[in-house]
């Protein structure tokens, strides 16, 4: 059996050390929801993996996730101190949170016209030509100008790593599709995978991508709720919905619209 007796939520300064290359971003998403409505501001130092497969890299948190959370009222500032790739880890980033008494609501349901804002390919302790090959594929598939592409050699990482990130913009909305370099996988394949995900999102016109969709669910249930449209509800998102419903009294709706998008709505029971 497990007994959990929570006390009051307190802001302040906290340090979370994963100790391995495990995702520090997932640790942030664990503690962030309660700190968004704490009485005091918070400053977090998180160490571990900052750019991991199967988890949001720092750039996604800074450019996509946290700005969307700020639409609910709080202010969140993020600073990358050191990159941490799997398996070496050793990365670090800082988060400052100015909380609000109550989270507001969110409405991201209108279709958007995405454009490619920029493409960045990072390499750490690997030849820069890997990044250049990824950018060449991205320029060809996405028809993006060279001045919007950047190959970056990272010199602060403990170990080798590679990631290509495609940032999409539509008004004040941002999305990021990501491809991680893997041993034995050509750089061209890594870039093609990231481009394919970007093309799918661009074609759908969805204001919320598949990964952001499941990350927004918990914050929305802790505030006044909201609605968003996405191109697909992943099994991860469906599991999150069922888990949240087991703990909280909420109304969740999922409806496929005429334009092919799925609109998800969350509101407190009785609202």
């Amino acid at each position: 059996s497990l007994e959990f007796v929570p006390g009051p939520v307190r802001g302040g300064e906290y340090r979370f050390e994963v100790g391995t290359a495990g995702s520090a971003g997932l640790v942030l998403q664990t503690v962030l929801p309660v700190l968004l409505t704490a009485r005091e501001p918070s400053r977090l130092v998180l160490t571990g993996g900052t750019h991991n497969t199967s988890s949001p890299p720092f750039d996604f948190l800074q450019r996509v996730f946290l700005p969307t959370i700020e639409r609910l009222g709080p202010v969140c500032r993020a600073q990358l101190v050191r990159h941490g790739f799997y398996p070496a880890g050793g990365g670090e980033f800082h988060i400052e949170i100015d909380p609000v008494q109550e989270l507001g609501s969110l409405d991201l349901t209108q279709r958007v016209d995405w454009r490619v804002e920029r493409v960045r390919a990072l390499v750490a302790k690997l030849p820069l030509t890997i990044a250049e090959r990824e950018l060449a594929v991205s320029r060809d598939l996405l028809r993006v100008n060279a001045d919007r592409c950047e190959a970056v050699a990272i010199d602060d990482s403990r170990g080798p790593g590679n990631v290509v990130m495609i940032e999409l913009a539509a008004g004040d909305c941002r999305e990021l599709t990501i491809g991680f370099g893997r041993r034995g996988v050509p750089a061209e394949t890594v870039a093609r995978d990231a481009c394919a995900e970007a093309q799918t999102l661009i074609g759908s016109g969805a204001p919320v991508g598949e990964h952001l969709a499941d990350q927004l669910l918990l914050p929305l249930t802790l505030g006044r709720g909201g609605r968003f449209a996405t191109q697909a509800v992943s099994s991860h998102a469906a599991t999150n919905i069922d888990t949240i419903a087991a703990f909280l009294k909420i109304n969740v709706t999922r409806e496929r619209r005429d334009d092919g998008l799925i609109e998800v709505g969350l509101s407190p029971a009785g609202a």
Side-chain angles (χ1 to χ4, degrees):
S1 64
L2 173 66
E3 183 178 2
F4 176 54
V5 184
V9 175
R10 294 188 177 90
E13 296 194 6
Y14 297 97
R15 184 179 183 92
F16 299 98
E17 299 185 8
V18 177
T20 66
S23 173
L26 292 180
V27 175
L28 170 66
Q29 292 188 330
T30 301
V31 301
L32 180 67
V34 294
L35 294 177
L36 292 176
T37 55
R39 293 184 178 180
E40 310 88 0
S42 296
R43 184 178 187 273
L44 312 180
V45 176
L46 301 103
T47 66
T50 63
H51 293 76
N52 306 54
T53 59
S54 302
S55 62
F58 173 82
D59 305 79
F60 184 90
L61 297 172
Q62 182 188 49
R63 304 290 296 173
V64 180
F65 176 68
L66 291 177
T68 308
I69 292 298
E70 288 188 318
R71 292 172 179 254
L72 302 176
V75 176
C76 304
R77 295 174 292 275
Q79 176 189 5
L80 180 65
V81 176
R82 184 171 57 252
H83 292 76
F85 294 93
Y86 178 86
E92 179 177 326
F93 64 85
H94 301 172
I95 302 289
E96 295 181 354
I97 305 165
D98 294 336
V100 291
Q101 186 174 358
E102 181 184 11
L103 296 177
S105 62
L106 180 73
D107 189 338
L108 283 173
T109 55
Q110 298 297 316
R111 289 177 61 89
V112 296
D113 294 322
W114 292 111
R115 69 178 187 281
V116 179
E117 184 77 2
R118 64 174 180 169
V119 182
R120 300 181 73 229
L122 314 183
V123 289
K125 302 185 186 304
L126 293 170
L128 189 63
T129 54
I130 293 175
E132 293 170 344
R133 287 160 55 196
E134 291 169 339
L135 294 181
V137 170
S138 301
R139 288 196 299 270
D140 181 55
L141 293 178
L142 299 176
R143 300 291 189 266
V144 58
N145 293 334
D147 60 358
R148 293 181 178 269
C149 298
E150 182 182 14
V152 182
I154 302 299
D155 58 7
D156 63 359
S157 174
R158 289 183 180 176
N162 165 236
V163 60
V164 56
M165 298 176 289
I166 301 167
E167 184 173 346
L168 306 177
D172 57 357
C173 293
R174 292 291 185 276
E175 267 290 353
L176 205 68
T177 65
I178 302 145
F180 282 98
R182 305 178 299 283
R183 186 183 297 274
V185 178
E188 290 77 10
T189 300
V190 174
R192 279 195 291 268
D193 290 346
C195 289
E197 186 177 344
Q199 289 168 328
T200 298
L201 183 57
I202 292 171
S204 73
V208 174
E210 179 180 338
H211 303 301
L212 179 61
D214 70 62
Q215 296 171 35
L216 290 178
L217 293 169
L218 182 58
L220 290 183
T221 63
L222 300 179
R224 298 177 186 172
R227 307 183 70 83
F228 61 82
T230 186
Q231 76 267 43
V233 175
S234 65
S235 59
H236 193 175
T239 301
N240 282 356
I241 290 172
D242 291 343
T243 303
I244 290 168
F247 285 87
L248 302 175
K249 295 180 179 180
I250 61 167
N251 297 315
V252 182
T253 59
R254 280 177 280 179
E255 179 182 0
R256 184 170 291 279
R257 306 188 323 196
D258 292 340
D259 60 5
L261 297 182
I262 298 175
E263 189 165 316
V264 179
L266 300 100
S267 61

